[in-house]
Amino acid sequence: ELKVEQNPLFLSMQEEKNYTIYCNYSTTSDRLYWYRQDPGKSLESLFVLLSNGAVKQEGRLMASLDTKARLSTLHITAAVHDLSATYFCAPEETSGSRLTFGEGTQLTVNP
Amino acid sequence: NAGVTQTPKFRVLKTGQSMTLLCAQDMNHEYMYWYRQDPGMGLRLIHYSVGEGTTAKGEVPDGYNVSRLKKQNFLLGLESAAPSQTSVYFCASSYFSEPQETQYFGPGTRLLVL
């Protein structure tokens, strides 16, 4: 059974600061997805990481995947208030088609 | 192109009542999923379907049933609602043969069971 741990679960940071969210998972997975959820809203896809060493960047967010270490990171550069949301990682089971979600990291960016 | 839609958006049930949540997608996706999200938790998979006429159990299937009679629709049924089923329910869909394609989520259904 695939288990996923995100840390931290809560992150309060100041604007213009950098920080990293970590996503560890327990069994082999070659693909991993990151989602964003605003309060009371649905999930929005951020990144799809398809192989070991994959790195994707969009604006102030950069995600990476190390399948050997079973670790993905979401790095935030020079945070702005608009990035305040909950971020979920979700590795895909090796059988395909199913994702297992982490608990989420609730990010608050303070002015 | 509406994407993934869910009906209803909000519902209050009494314990023991039944209801059906409807998910519809217009993207011709093969795979469809039902998740529940509880406060402070990630999403947990209830049931999923890899094609019309097929369904499979996810992580927390007890108390729920599903049907996928048409490719574009995925129904989630609660036969006898319990307060523990109070949650936000999300439907999602995705392609079968495109791993770079993510799951697309509906807006959610908020269910309160009294």
Side-chain angles (χ1 to χ4, degrees), chain B residues 1 3 6 10 20 26 35 39-41 43 45-46 49 51-52 63 71 73 79-80 84 87 101 104-106 109 111:
Chain B
N1 205 347
Q6 292 182 231
F10 179 70
T20 300
D26 61 2
Y35 295 92
M41 298 181 70
L43 277 70
L45 183 64
I46 305 171
S49 168
E52 183 178 322
K71 186 177 184 179
N73 295 337
E79 289 187 349
S80 180
S84 60
S87 188
E101 285 285 338
Y104 294 86
F105 283 81
T109 295
L111 176 63

Side-chain angles (χ1 to χ4, degrees), chain B residues 2-3 17 21 26 29-31 41-42 48 56 67-68 70 73 87-88 98 100 103 107-108 114:
Chain B
Q17 287 185 318
L21 284 68
D26 61 2
H29 285 169
E30 289 88 358
Y31 287 178
M41 298 181 70
Y48 65 105
S67 65
R68 183 113 180 257
K70 293 182 179 181
N73 295 337
S87 188
V88 180
E98 300 290 339
Q100 63 269 27
Q103 289 186 14
L114 302 175

